[in-house]
Amino acid sequence: MAVDVSVQLTYVVTWREVSDGLRMQLRHSTVGRWAHSVLCGLGALLGLVILADLLTGGVSAAGWGVLRFLLTVCLLGVAFHWLMALAVLGYARHMGEHRVTVGASGFRIVTERNTNEIGWQFYGRCVEGRRIFVLLTPDVWGAGVMVLPKRGLSAPQDCDRLRELIAGHLDAV
C-alpha cells in the first residue's frame, strides 16, 4: 500500500506574498542580480558626481539635474515593482481561491476558474522566505514563478513535509 506524502495548501493570494515572490525572483535569478548590480553601480557613480559637485563649490544646474534623474530612476523602480505586483495580484485574485496539492508527481492547482497540473521538471530551484516558498524555472530570467504561502498549510508539520518534498525534487538556493 502506497503512503500519501502529498501536502495541500488552500489560500487566496495577497499583495504581500506576490510582492515578496517577485522580489525573491529578482534576487535569485541571474538577470535580476545583474540588473541590481548595474543599478547600484549607476547610483554610486551618480552619487560620486553629486559629491564632487558639492566639494567644488556647490550644486550646479547639472548637479541638480543628476539628482533629479537619480530620484526619478529610484521612484520608477519602486513604482514598477508595485505595478507588477498589482498586475499579478489582479490575475491571481481573478482565479479565486487556490487549492494546491504538492505530491510526488508535481503540483495540482485547482482554482474557481482553472485546473492545472505541473510536473517537478518545470521548476529548477526553490527559495524559502519567512512567509512563502518561491519556485523558479531554471532559465536565467527565472521567468516561471510559483508562490506557495505558508499560511495556506493546514498544520505546522505540513511546512516540514512540503520542505522535504521540494528538497527531494529541486535545488535549494
Side-chain angles (χ1 to χ4, degrees):
M1 182 173 187
V3 177
D4 183 24
V5 294
S6 64
V7 177
Q8 297 199 352
L9 298 96
T10 303
Y11 58 89
V12 175
V13 179
T14 65
W15 185 85
R16 178 71 176 228
E17 292 158 353
V18 170
S19 179
D20 288 351
L22 290 174
R23 190 173 296 113
M24 291 173 121
Q25 175 197 23
L26 283 175
R27 192 175 302 140
H28 294 285
S29 67
T30 305
V31 172
R33 286 190 303 268
W34 180 83
H36 185 264
S37 299
V38 167
L39 286 176
C40 286
L42 180 62
L45 179 64
L46 292 175
L48 286 174
V49 167
I50 291 170
L51 181 64
D53 204 18
L54 284 172
L55 293 174
T56 58
V59 180
S60 65
W64 283 113
V66 169
L67 186 59
R68 281 194 307 269
F69 174 74
L70 178 61
L71 184 60
T72 303
V73 167
C74 291
L75 290 175
L76 285 176
V78 170
F80 179 74
H81 176 77
W82 285 350
L83 290 173
M84 284 295 296
L86 284 173
V88 173
L89 178 63
Y91 172 75
R93 289 270 171 95
H94 172 71
M95 300 303 278
E97 181 181 71
H98 289 66
R99 292 175 301 283
V100 180
T101 303
V102 183
S105 62
F107 307 88
R108 179 170 172 77
I109 305 158
V110 178
T111 68
E112 295 169 9
R113 292 183 168 80
N114 188 23
T115 299
N116 195 7
E117 291 189 25
I118 302 171
W120 284 105
Q121 64 276 12
F122 183 75
Y123 295 104
R125 58 194 189 270
C126 176
V127 183
E128 182 178 356
R130 197 171 68 230
R131 290 181 284 274
I132 58 175
F133 288 95
V134 179
L135 294 109
L136 302 168
T137 53
D139 58 300
V140 295
W141 293 91
V145 178
M146 181 187 294
V147 177
L148 298 173
K150 294 179 181 178
R151 68 176 172 78
L153 297 164
S154 59
Q157 64 270 21
D158 286 348
C159 189
D160 293 330
R161 288 182 36 223
L162 180 58
R163 191 177 293 116
E164 288 173 15
L165 265 171
I166 291 172
H169 292 92
L170 300 178
D171 296 330
V173 176

